[in-house]
């Protein structure tokens, strides 16, 4: 596929992570609420988070169902209503977006730059993200670990995303992620990378074309929902 690069860094397509880039991290209050809903012992948030993450990769990869995952977290099977409550609260922690980042992506997408989302996410969250307006507006495609059956930094995840961009030369594709290990894995496949550290100006520098559009400041955040 032959394209004319519109970015200052000769990027013909972007593969972008969700959580930690577009998606905002959960607040301490959200973690506390989820722990309370899980009926975790009070003042033991650290142990709850340890249990939450211990089997998260398998859950994100689609190897565990909602029920199997929460049974491992809790140490026993929750009932159907309790499971729905936990899944809803869990999902709510990951669906807030950073409006500053979305503004930059909208301005970049307006130039015709193709974007593909590549996210480690369980099946239910993947479905919720796919239904959002920004996903339909900005992303040419969205690849989620639960659907791929594997998580970043597995090389195949990047290969699937690169194919989705339609660009054959990985050196013309920019991969953006908040985790350095994911960026290193992408770089090993020849992708250009940006380790995002929460500074929207770095995104703007990489993605916005040279000219008046590149100097317009990002819009102020409109709220906390995403």
């Amino acid at each position: 596929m032959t394209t004319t690069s519109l970015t200052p860094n000769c990027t013909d397509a972007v593969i972008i992570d969700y959580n930690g880039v577009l998606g905002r991290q959960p607040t301490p209050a959200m973690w506390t609420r989820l722990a309370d809903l899980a009926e975790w012992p009070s003042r033991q948030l650290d142990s709850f988070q340890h249990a939450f993450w211990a089997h998260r990769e398998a859950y994100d990869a689609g190897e565990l169902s909602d029920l199997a995952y929460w049974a491992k977290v809790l140490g026993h099977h929750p009932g159907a209503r309790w499971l729905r409550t936990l899944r809803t609260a869990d999902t709510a922690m990951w669906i807030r977006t950073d409006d500053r980042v979305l503004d930059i992506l909208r301005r970049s997408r307006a130039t015709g730059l193709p974007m593909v989302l590549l996210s480690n996410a369980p099946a239910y969250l993947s479905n919720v993200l796919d239904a959002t307006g920004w996903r339909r507006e900005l992303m040419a495609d969205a690849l989620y670990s639960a659907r791929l059956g594997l998580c970043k930094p597995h090389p195949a995840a990047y290969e699937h995303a690169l194919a989705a961009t339609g660009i054959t030369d990985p050196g013309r594709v920019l991969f953006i992620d908040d985790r350095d290990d994911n960026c290193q894995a992408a770089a090993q496949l020849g992708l250009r990378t940006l380790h995002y550290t929460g500074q929207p100006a770095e995104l703007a520098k990489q993605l916005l074309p040279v000219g008046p559009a590149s100097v317009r400041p990002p819009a102020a955040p409109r709220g906390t929902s995403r």
Side-chain angles (χ1 to χ4, degrees):
M1 176 178 180
T2 301
T3 63
T4 300
S5 179
L6 298 173
T7 70
N9 297 292
C10 299
T11 297
D12 292 339
V14 171
I15 299 170
I16 188 165
D17 176 40
Y18 173 70
N19 186 47
V21 183
L22 283 86
R24 297 166 62 191
Q25 298 288 3
T27 65
M30 289 176 169
W31 280 112
T32 298
R33 179 174 183 271
L34 185 60
D36 289 343
L37 291 173
E39 299 182 0
W40 209 260
S42 62
R43 293 195 291 268
Q44 293 188 21
L45 185 58
D46 286 348
S47 68
F48 172 72
Q49 289 176 321
H50 176 77
F52 180 94
W53 290 116
H55 302 282
R56 194 69 178 192
E57 184 171 347
Y59 185 39
D60 284 348
E63 297 169 7
L64 296 175
S65 66
D66 297 334
L67 178 60
Y69 169 71
W70 280 105
K72 288 183 177 294
V73 173
L74 301 173
H76 57 84
H77 283 77
R81 181 177 296 179
W82 192 12
L83 176 62
R84 288 193 298 270
T85 298
L86 291 168
R87 185 180 67 181
T88 298
D90 179 8
T91 301
M93 296 204 309
W94 309 106
I95 59 175
R96 302 178 309 136
T97 50
D98 187 330
D99 286 332
R100 302 169 302 170
V101 173
L102 286 176
D103 180 77
I104 292 168
L105 295 184
R106 287 189 177 101
R107 291 156 60 193
S108 181
R109 185 69 187 92
T111 69
L113 184 67
M115 300 181 190
V116 170
L117 190 72
L118 180 62
S119 176
N120 288 352
Y124 187 80
L125 176 58
S126 302
N127 294 336
V128 171
L129 294 177
D130 257 354
T132 60
W134 62 261
R135 153 64 180 100
R136 296 190 298 268
E137 173 191 0
L138 296 175
M139 302 298 158
D141 203 350
L143 306 180
Y144 302 99
S145 56
R147 299 176 186 173
L148 294 174
L150 50 88
C151 294
K152 293 175 295 182
H154 194 291
Y158 305 98
E159 292 168 355
H160 284 294
L162 180 61
T165 68
I167 306 298
T168 57
D169 179 1
R172 307 287 293 187
V173 178
L174 177 66
F175 173 73
I176 304 168
D177 200 290
D178 68 318
R179 286 180 47 169
D180 185 56
D181 59 336
N182 289 339
C183 288
Q184 289 183 28
Q188 289 177 2
L189 295 175
L191 291 161
R192 294 177 44 246
T193 65
L194 172 62
H195 179 204
Y196 183 69
T197 58
Q199 302 300 318
E202 289 298 314
L203 284 180
K205 182 178 178 181
Q206 292 286 334
L207 297 181
L208 296 182
V210 176
S214 66
V215 298
R216 180 167 64 88
R222 297 185 294 274
T224 58
S225 63
R226 64 186 183 180

